[in-house]
Amino acid sequence: MQKYLYITLLLALAMACGSGTKKSNVEGPRILTVTIEPQRYFLDQIVGDMFTINTLVPPGTSPETYEPAPSVMVDMAKSNVYFMVGDLGFENVWSKRLAKNNPNVTIINCSEGIVRMEGHDHDHDHGHDLHHTHLHSHSGIDPHVWSSPYAVKVFTRNMLNEIVKIDPDNAGTYEANYEILLAKIEKTDSLIRDLLKNVSSKSFIIYHPALGYFARDYGLNQISIEFEGKSPSPSQIKEIVDVARKEKINTIFIERSFDTKNTTVIAHEIGAQVFEIDPLRYEWDVELLRIATILAREVK
Ligand SMILES: [Zn+2]
């Protein structure tokens, strides 16, 4: 019995020591807020269970119709850091609000340092009405940087730098975790590169243009059905069909919860296959590899 007590005591002591090494400069609840699930995936790899991570756009929610509840701002205000993707119209509105009401929350633009692409399809004319905010850029910049492994290296480095800044006592752990994440990103990149070596068509069609940076990385051409965030006109559909025939496009991507009517019409017209993808999926690497596998399916 005494021996048992002694072991319990030792265990308690070991646990106390263990938590001692996790001492940090972060005060209060250790909460990080991100906009989308792939960001939570990256942060999970870097911080492990050292922080709680909140995602603003819940899984399975279309960012196009996302309507934040009033409680979201309350939760955001409890965070140590809010990691923005960077160029999403919705984020600009919310980060300004957050900065004004809660100057103690650090706001980090994860896209800082990434060479951004023009997003001709992202110039929306709707206003900043919060009940109808669109997740996309109002500045004409394509916000979907996370579809590129290259960009994600910079993106996650920005995350790491801030985590190390707010919790320097555990910097070694975060940096070691980051090295593992980097290796995973590089592995994903080389697997995609291998898969795409012999694709039969360098072009693909997508309803919503979420893969611009992916296309840039791998020398592909993204053609979007959606035009300036809206359904295409009959003449625009005809234009897409003509290009698709010329370039022998056999793949059409569509994100969950987008209107499939025009997609089906075009697919039927050009004899292409439609695949549902989820660029907002938590398992970032799995989804990118899936997309590459779909594009490469004709290859023997
Ligand atoms: Zn999008």
Side-chain angles (χ1 to χ4, degrees):
M1 188 62 195
Q2 255 207 321
K3 194 179 170 196
Y4 177 74
L5 242 173
Y6 177 66
I7 290 169
T8 311
L9 243 162
L10 261 182
L11 262 173
L13 206 79
M15 277 165 80
C17 287
S19 63
T21 59
K22 288 190 180 182
K23 192 176 85 54
S24 81
N25 303 346
V26 183
E27 281 173 23
R30 298 164 61 95
I31 301 173
L32 306 172
T33 297
V34 296
T35 301
I36 54 168
E37 283 287 277
Q39 286 180 295
R40 186 166 69 86
Y41 171 80
F42 302 138
L43 265 186
D44 272 346
Q45 320 279 312
I46 298 170
V47 303
D49 56 5
M50 312 266 268
F51 286 86
T52 303
I53 302 162
N54 282 333
T55 306
L56 285 187
V57 181
T61 305
S62 165
E64 310 304 310
T65 54
Y66 175 54
E67 290 181 20
S71 62
V72 170
M73 187 54 84
V74 177
D75 286 344
M76 265 175 110
K78 293 181 198 150
S79 318
N80 303 106
V81 185
Y82 167 43
F83 291 98
M84 302 167 70
V85 169
D87 301 299
L88 303 168
F90 143 87
E91 287 178 319
N92 295 328
V93 179
W94 280 69
S95 63
K96 274 188 197 118
R97 241 183 220 202
L98 189 69
K100 197 172 146 232
N101 300 330
N102 302 87
N104 51 319
V105 180
T106 309
I107 300 170
I108 296 295
N109 179 345
C110 295
S111 295
E112 195 75 54
I114 295 168
V115 179
R116 251 67 66 77
M117 296 169 70
E118 294 258 334
H120 300 290
D121 297 302
H122 279 95
D123 302 324
H124 303 292
D125 54 2
H126 50 72
H128 285 249
D129 175 1
L130 271 181
H131 292 289
H132 299 282
T133 22
H134 188 284
L135 189 66
H136 292 105
S137 171
H138 290 256
S139 58
I141 293 170
D142 183 340
H144 305 95
V145 290
W146 68 94
S147 69
S148 151
Y150 282 144
V152 162
K153 285 193 203 175
V154 179
F155 196 89
T156 51
R157 169 77 66 182
N158 289 334
M159 290 178 144
L160 172 74
N161 289 347
E162 184 56 26
I163 296 295
V164 166
K165 202 184 279 174
I166 64 167
D167 190 9
D169 292 351
N170 293 304
T173 306
Y174 301 134
E175 274 153 11
N177 289 346
Y178 180 69
E179 287 307 312
I180 297 167
L181 173 61
L182 258 192
K184 209 182 260 187
I185 295 167
E186 273 160 14
K187 175 88 180 156
T188 306
D189 172 53
S190 80
L191 287 172
I192 294 172
R193 212 162 278 285
D194 275 355
L195 279 164
L196 297 178
K197 231 178 246 163
N198 300 305
V199 280
S200 58
S201 176
K202 290 267 180 212
S203 300
F204 62 88
I205 293 174
I206 187 164
Y207 187 83
H208 174 76
L211 298 178
Y213 292 83
F214 179 88
R216 181 172 78 175
D217 272 13
Y218 302 109
L220 302 169
N221 178 29
Q222 164 181 265
I223 296 165
S224 79
I225 297 177
E226 191 183 72
F227 185 76
E228 295 183 350
K230 294 184 219 88
S231 292
S233 67
S235 73
Q236 281 159 346
I237 290 177
K238 192 187 170 299
E239 213 172 291
I240 294 167
V241 167
D242 289 345
V243 172
R245 284 200 179 118
K246 210 175 86 205
E247 302 192 19
K248 298 185 171 43
I249 295 176
N250 53 16
T251 305
I252 302 182
F253 291 123
I254 185 156
E255 280 176 79
R256 253 192 305 179
S257 69
F258 278 92
D259 165 47
T260 56
K261 210 188 96 220
N262 289 314
T263 310
T264 315
V265 168
I266 294 169
H268 185 77
E269 198 67 30
I270 64 171
Q273 257 179 289
V274 178
F275 298 89
E276 194 181 276
I277 58 167
D278 184 8
L280 295 171
R281 183 174 171 181
Y282 174 81
E283 294 86 359
W284 169 85
D285 51 341
V286 177
E287 191 63 16
L288 280 194
L289 280 170
R290 203 182 138 252
I291 289 165
T293 307
I294 292 168
L295 286 167
R297 75 196 179 286
E298 300 286 320
V299 182
K300 291 282 160 326

